[in-house]
Amino acid sequence: MKKIVKKVKKYLKNDSIKASFKFTKYYEKGIIKEDEILIQSYDGSSISGNPYYLLLELCKNEKYKTLKKFVASNKKSEETIKKVIEQEKLENVTVVLVHSKEYCRVLAQAKYLINNSTFPVYFIKNEKQVYLNTWHGTPLKAMGREIIDSPHELGNTQRNFMMADYLLYQNDFMFEKMKNAYMLDNLYNGKYVISGYPRNDAFFDEDKRNSIRKSLNLTDKKVIVYMPTWRGTATKKQNKEQQETIISMINKLEEELDENSVVYLKIHNLASAQINYEDYTKIKPFPNGYETYQFLNIADCLITDYSSVMFDFANTGRKVILYIYDFKEYTENRGFYLNVKEMPFTKVYTQEELCEELKDLSKYTLYQEFKKEYCSYDSKDTSKKICSLLVNEEKIE
């Protein structure tokens, strides 16, 4: 009996479980606030990606002035999110903590909902709510039921997709892969939207690119950004090996690159915490004061591996290097929709090859056909079009 009581107490202390009762209370009231919108990015860990650019449009376009905007945040990211909102001078925006009483109320009652991932398992959409799910990238790696080692984990993602009124896809390739991976055919009753990604608006903003470079004294520098895939589902040993590989790599870059080069690292916090950036002159952490893609747009070259960021950065036409030192090991259990080795970007497997490719950022094969296939819907006005669709039901031309 004591064990049962202990389990029950632990169960009831869980934030998500407690939130489910709060949410149900508001949901059952059936009230919908026509002037409220909830925006959530990556489970509340940031305000970035597609939701961020939609928030900018909602705040800066007079058409949406009367809308009360709520941004979801977890406890760890609350101050950072508030800082971003303050820096951008976004008005009529309230930050709500995921699973809090106010979050549950807004989730149950806001007319409009935007997410690039999923809402909690206790969420049920009122039929009067309008839910846009933008997801967060063109899939290179297998998704949903097609993930080799964990097809069973698709549950809440599929459930969110089924409830959404609009599912946004960046290109036709993504549309086909996602609806198949999550078994949406003949089940989904909402509308598929094949359009550009709001976050890619950043790559068409030359003024912002120049102003950031100028403010950081990077006008005459070769700016390189390293954004690898974090092996978050790997073993502790594999994650440790990745950390060691990154540190070894940046030591090599510090030694080999010319004085005019600077490399910004956008890596997982666990890996970044192992680096003493004061030991380097050419290696810097990705700055917190900018939205990811706003800063990525200043790069003259992107280094990644298996991340969907390559599809987005391709809008710039600048050099992309795939540093795939662990290609065999990584691809054994994950499954891929595309053959990475056949992609039109520069591929390197060793630190020496990477350093050599970074010496001349103008040397690479152009990839117009790739852009045509995966980036043809992207433009500087995507956020404007998507907001008009969501709030005013205006068709996207």
Side-chain angles (χ1 to χ4, degrees):
M1 182 61 69
K2 286 183 178 180
K3 288 183 178 179
I4 294 174
V5 171
K6 188 176 180 181
K7 285 183 178 180
V8 171
K9 286 183 177 179
K10 184 178 180 181
Y11 175 82
L12 293 175
K13 284 182 180 180
N14 182 286
D15 286 342
S16 180
I17 299 299
K18 289 189 291 184
S20 68
F21 294 106
K22 300 173 194 172
F23 175 84
T24 302
K25 182 183 73 171
Y26 289 113
Y27 175 80
E28 290 180 341
K29 289 181 179 181
I31 298 171
I32 297 299
K33 304 282 188 177
E34 298 285 335
D35 62 344
E36 292 186 353
I37 183 166
L38 174 63
I39 299 163
Q40 184 165 314
S41 177
Y42 298 112
D43 302 318
S45 63
S46 69
I47 179 62
S48 60
N50 293 321
Y52 172 79
Y53 287 92
L54 293 173
L55 175 64
L56 287 185
E57 173 65 17
L58 290 166
C59 287
K60 296 182 178 181
N61 191 323
E62 284 293 315
K63 287 199 302 184
Y64 313 111
K65 187 175 181 180
T66 58
L67 275 181
K68 297 174 184 175
K69 297 91 178 173
F70 293 88
V71 172
S73 171
N74 60 29
K75 292 179 181 178
K76 185 178 180 181
S77 304
E78 183 180 13
E79 291 306 313
T80 300
I81 290 176
K82 286 182 176 179
K83 184 179 179 181
V84 170
I85 292 170
E86 183 181 344
Q87 284 180 338
E88 289 292 336
K89 299 179 181 179
L90 304 181
E91 298 180 354
N92 204 12
V93 179
T94 303
V95 177
V96 290
L97 291 177
V98 174
H99 303 320
S100 69
K101 181 179 179 180
E102 182 66 355
Y103 172 82
C104 291
R105 185 201 69 75
V106 177
L107 181 59
Q109 298 183 346
K111 174 65 179 288
Y112 305 103
L113 305 169
I114 296 174
N115 203 325
N116 67 353
S117 184
T118 59
F119 288 117
V121 292
Y122 53 78
F123 168 65
I124 303 172
K125 189 180 84 71
N126 184 298
E127 61 180 11
K128 294 180 182 178
Q129 290 178 302
V130 184
Y131 176 15
L132 164 67
N133 191 293
T134 73
W135 204 236
H136 49 260
T138 295
L140 172 63
K141 302 181 286 288
M143 304 293 290
R145 63 172 175 170
E146 295 167 345
I147 298 176
I148 295 172
D149 54 359
S150 57
H152 59 286
E153 295 178 357
L154 62 80
N156 193 42
T157 302
Q158 184 192 51
R159 200 177 68 89
N160 268 257
F161 289 169
M162 293 296 187
M163 289 188 287
D165 296 276
Y166 299 107
L167 293 177
L168 177 63
Y169 297 123
Q170 187 179 8
N171 47 59
D172 299 287
F173 168 81
M174 181 184 182
F175 168 61
E176 292 296 334
K177 296 303 179 186
M178 292 292 284
K179 70 187 180 78
N180 184 61
Y182 290 96
M183 297 170 280
L184 302 179
D185 275 335
N186 303 317
L187 292 174
Y188 178 61
N189 293 317
K191 295 180 180 179
Y192 295 115
V193 181
I194 304 178
S195 173
Y197 254 10
R199 69 187 185 191
N200 289 343
D201 289 1
F203 297 121
F204 298 88
D205 193 342
E206 195 66 20
D207 291 338
K208 191 72 172 180
R209 167 180 160 85
N210 292 333
S211 67
I212 294 176
R213 289 179 69 102
K214 184 177 181 181
S215 66
L216 296 176
N217 297 316
L218 297 170
T219 303
D220 299 318
K221 291 281 188 178
K222 290 194 297 185
V223 180
I224 301 154
V225 170
Y226 179 48
M227 292 180 66
T229 300
W230 175 249
R231 280 61 167 170
T233 57
T235 64
K236 288 184 178 180
K237 180 183 177 182
Q238 288 171 317
N239 285 332
K240 184 178 180 181
E241 288 175 350
Q242 186 189 21
Q243 292 177 29
E244 292 172 348
T245 298
I246 290 173
I247 291 175
S248 175
M249 179 200 76
I250 64 175
N251 287 337
K252 185 71 173 177
L253 294 178
E254 177 73 14
E255 178 184 340
E256 295 289 335
L257 294 184
D258 60 54
E259 297 299 322
N260 200 42
S261 298
V262 57
V263 181
Y264 286 90
L265 305 184
K266 179 67 172 175
I267 57 178
H268 194 279
N269 291 336
L270 289 176
S272 188
Q274 305 300 315
I275 300 171
N276 183 2
Y277 289 96
E278 293 182 358
D279 292 341
Y280 303 92
T281 60
K282 303 166 192 171
I283 310 297
K284 298 181 183 296
F286 203 89
N288 292 323
Y290 304 94
E291 192 278 330
T292 300
Y293 276 36
Q294 280 183 343
F295 190 82
L296 179 59
N297 188 39
I298 78 168
D300 300 299
C301 175
L302 167 69
I303 307 170
T304 186
D305 43 24
Y306 319 104
S307 171
S308 65
V309 70
M310 69 177 76
F311 294 96
D312 299 329
F313 190 77
N315 277 288
T316 68
R318 301 175 208 136
K319 188 168 185 173
V320 177
I321 298 175
L322 303 183
Y323 180 35
I324 47 177
Y325 58 89
D326 61 347
F327 180 80
K328 184 176 184 297
E329 296 81 3
Y330 188 83
T331 57
E332 277 180 350
N333 298 315
R334 191 59 168 91
F336 282 75
Y337 293 127
L338 296 170
N339 188 332
V340 177
K341 291 189 174 183
E342 292 180 359
M343 300 189 84
F345 307 121
T346 303
K347 290 164 282 290
V348 296
Y349 302 88
T350 67
Q351 295 175 9
E352 290 73 21
E353 291 175 330
L354 178 61
C355 290
E356 187 63 30
E357 286 295 335
L358 290 174
K359 289 179 180 178
D360 185 356
L361 301 186
S362 65
K363 181 184 175 183
Y364 62 98
T365 302
L366 299 179
Y367 41 87
Q368 292 95 328
E369 288 303 311
F370 182 91
K371 286 181 64 176
K372 184 177 179 181
E373 184 168 359
Y374 299 105
C375 308
S376 60
Y377 296 104
D378 287 317
S379 73
K380 64 179 181 180
D381 297 321
T382 298
S383 295
K384 184 179 295 185
K385 294 175 182 177
I386 297 299
C387 286
S388 291
L389 171 69
L390 178 67
V391 180
N392 303 316
E393 297 185 19
E394 293 182 6
K395 290 184 178 180
I396 295 177
E397 297 295 333

